[in-house]
Amino acid sequence: TKPDVDIKMDDLSYLIYTSGSTGVPKGVMLNQVGLTNMAKAMTKALDYLHDGKIHTLLSVTSTPFDIFVYEIIVSLTHGQRIVMANNAEHRNPKLLEKLMEKYNTDVMTVTPSLMKIVYDNRSENSPLKLVKNMVFGGEPLPEKFVKNLKALADDITVFNIYGPSEITILSNVQNLNGEPEITTGPPIMNTQIHILDKNLKRVPVGVVGEIYISGIQVGVGYLGKPELTREKFLPNKFGEGRMYKSGDIGRWTFDGKIQCLGRIDNQIKLRGLRIELGEIESKMEQYPGVSASIVNKIMIDDKEVLCGYYVTDGTIDVTETEIKIYLKKYLPQYMVPSFIVHLEKMPYTINRKIDRKALPMPKIEEDSFKEEEPDKFDTAELKLQQIWKNVLHLKKISLEDNFFDIGGDSISAIKMEIEALKYNFDFEYADIFKYPTIKELAGKRNDKVEENIAEYDYHRIDRVLERNNILNISTIKKYQVGNILLIGSTGYLGVHILDEYLKRHRGIVYCLVRRKNNEEPLARLKQKIVFYFGNEYFEEYKDR
């Protein structure tokens, strides 16, 4: 039966945490009317939705991303089937192809970088050509890649969508069939795009400015962050409601479409993750002896990576390796630059601003990688070494080199896992982060213990559950809590137990936190506390 629920237009549809510009996500509140408007707009914009219930969408989107909401709402409201790839299938093109073939999937919504991995590792008669409707979002879509996809089959339709997380999923969509250039198209229904200068004045068609978005797609604001909400969600001087300051730059084309050209500041997107370059630079400059730094997004072997540059004050010697180790303690892995370069001095423009275009490309010197003698390797290590060389395009790699210190990242980790499967290696994607050297990864074994659940003795559990009744409440005693030792404080339950204790009691909490992925225990704990409760909360209770 139809649920008897009174839903109003301004009620929240979902709360989503963006990937954040500083590694600390912000909770964005979106409402019901924006979600409904998005679904209706897609009915008009996506031609295949008019065909009825004949299509099947293959979902490879992680559930925390708003594109997953888009996939579910748009597909199910049009009676279409959804096939959800698991983690292994998501990261393995061969398994993904089997899923495409088995369920005859013909629709995908995906980031260009993930689709490129599938494309580059496709089989000879790949079922990828069966995916006739490809919807791309989350990052810039290269024109060359669109042409490559079109070469698979003439009848593939490519759509390009745009919209920050502060908008209900998207504000623009464009069918790229027959288009002379890549754009994100016009705004969808009940949504307006404004290209403005620094004085919030409209710029002429073809002139670059900052993208502001208004209309019913605009979200409510940031949860628990009123000042940031006022800063980003401004009164709409061109109509009703508010407009969102996106921080993206773009321009109108003469046929009424939007071309996105990047970030207005130095906040960038790398593999779909928002990164504030200034945050990395600030952390680099906290290292003793470093007087100035700058971080750039560069291309190495057709791959986008971060490169950090620094100069020293001459008091002490500071090596690139020391900087990288330091950054790993305080920043998430995706924010640690793949390359660190020491400069004698920063290049400046005539206006005394750092000239990013004049920064040198990092020199990948083969001699910096120590190669071990072949007889020191066992068979697994030798194979794995060759795989790493192929993926990272390096001639010399040692047993002890960290995959992420010599140019590896999350995308190349996926490629490495794919290659390793050809040689019958049995490890998962997460293992690459846990065992990041050849010696550790080759020595890792999946010793799976099969348990016969049917023979498990549940009597002890039953005896515990028998006491779980209302009569047992009277036997519970209340104790005066003093100082406590807390384990699991970086998990969801643990950090909320920590919160309750800090607010209700006056004692000291000793948190047992282990080092993980080269991140110090205190940094892990702080990141989790700030994620759930904010930086002010951490500052208030950090001495306890």
Side-chain angles (χ1 to χ4, degrees), residues 217-231:
Q217 290 296 110
V218 177
V220 178
Y222 300 111
L223 180 66
K225 296 182 180 294
E227 291 184 5
L228 186 59
T229 297
R230 285 191 293 271
E231 178 186 336

Side-chain angles (χ1 to χ4, degrees), residues 269-315:
K269 268 195 173 183
L270 185 70
R271 299 183 293 278
L273 295 168
R274 252 189 238 179
I275 298 175
E276 177 62 64
L277 298 181
E279 181 73 10
I280 307 173
E281 293 162 359
S282 175
K283 189 58 66 177
M284 287 178 68
E285 289 168 11
Q286 291 177 19
Y287 193 82
V290 174
S291 58
S293 70
I294 192 166
V295 178
N296 245 2
K297 183 170 73 170
I298 61 174
M299 293 289 292
I300 296 288
D301 293 324
D302 295 324
K303 181 177 65 174
E304 289 184 333
V305 297
L306 294 179
C307 182
Y309 303 85
Y310 73 98
V311 296
T312 61
D313 57 15
T315 56

Side-chain angles (χ1 to χ4, degrees), residues 209-336:
E210 183 173 0
I211 298 175
Y212 288 74
I213 307 168
S214 64
I216 60 179
Q217 290 296 110
V218 177
V220 178
Y222 300 111
L223 180 66
K225 296 182 180 294
E227 291 184 5
L228 186 59
T229 297
R230 285 191 293 271
E231 178 186 336
K232 297 293 186 180
F233 294 82
L234 308 176
N236 182 12
K237 60 183 296 185
F238 307 104
E240 298 180 356
R242 297 180 299 168
M243 59 182 186
Y244 172 67
K245 175 182 170 67
S246 73
D248 295 321
I249 57 174
R251 62 187 171 204
W252 283 104
T253 62
F254 285 93
D255 56 350
K257 295 165 185 173
I258 297 294
Q259 216 173 25
C260 293
L261 304 172
R263 296 293 301 173
I264 198 168
D265 48 26
N266 59 352
Q267 184 189 82
I268 57 105
K269 268 195 173 183
L270 185 70
R271 299 183 293 278
L273 295 168
R274 252 189 238 179
I275 298 175
E276 177 62 64
L277 298 181
E279 181 73 10
I280 307 173
E281 293 162 359
S282 175
K283 189 58 66 177
M284 287 178 68
E285 289 168 11
Q286 291 177 19
Y287 193 82
V290 174
S291 58
S293 70
I294 192 166
V295 178
N296 245 2
K297 183 170 73 170
I298 61 174
M299 293 289 292
I300 296 288
D301 293 324
D302 295 324
K303 181 177 65 174
E304 289 184 333
V305 297
L306 294 179
C307 182
Y309 303 85
Y310 73 98
V311 296
T312 61
D313 57 15
T315 56
I316 57 174
D317 291 330
V318 181
T319 67
E320 289 93 337
T321 302
E322 289 171 343
I323 294 290
K324 182 171 281 192
I325 292 173
Y326 176 75
L327 293 178
K328 283 183 176 181
K329 293 180 180 179
Y330 300 101
L331 297 175
Q333 179 66 46
Y334 68 87
M335 290 180 69
V336 177

Side-chain angles (χ1 to χ4, degrees), residues 103-246:
Y103 294 101
N104 196 30
T105 57
D106 62 343
V107 181
M108 283 185 72
T109 305
V110 66
T111 61
S113 57
L114 182 56
M115 178 58 82
K116 192 171 188 310
I117 291 177
V118 178
Y119 176 84
D120 289 344
N121 292 276
R122 67 192 186 282
S123 57
E124 185 175 352
N125 297 308
S126 174
L128 183 60
K129 62 186 177 183
L130 300 176
V131 183
K132 303 302 183 185
N133 300 282
M134 299 185 181
V135 183
F136 289 97
E139 58 191 32
L141 178 58
E143 185 174 351
K144 181 181 178 182
F145 186 46
V146 173
K147 292 179 180 178
N148 290 341
L149 292 172
K150 287 283 190 178
L152 286 175
D154 293 336
D155 56 349
I156 288 179
T157 301
V158 176
F159 298 89
N160 194 24
I161 63 176
Y162 164 77
S165 298
E166 289 79 1
I167 306 302
T168 307
I169 300 169
L170 57 89
S171 58
N172 297 63
V173 59
Q174 178 62 49
N175 183 335
L176 294 178
N177 280 7
E179 291 292 306
E181 59 185 350
I182 303 293
T183 72
T184 58
I188 63 174
M189 55 189 282
N190 299 313
T191 306
Q192 299 82 43
I193 297 290
H194 314 281
I195 308 294
L196 309 179
D197 62 18
K198 62 181 180 179
N199 298 315
L200 300 185
K201 301 290 186 182
R202 285 184 170 136
V203 301
V205 173
V207 175
V208 174
E210 183 173 0
I211 298 175
Y212 288 74
I213 307 168
S214 64
I216 60 179
Q217 290 296 110
V218 177
V220 178
Y222 300 111
L223 180 66
K225 296 182 180 294
E227 291 184 5
L228 186 59
T229 297
R230 285 191 293 271
E231 178 186 336
K232 297 293 186 180
F233 294 82
L234 308 176
N236 182 12
K237 60 183 296 185
F238 307 104
E240 298 180 356
R242 297 180 299 168
M243 59 182 186
Y244 172 67
K245 175 182 170 67
S246 73

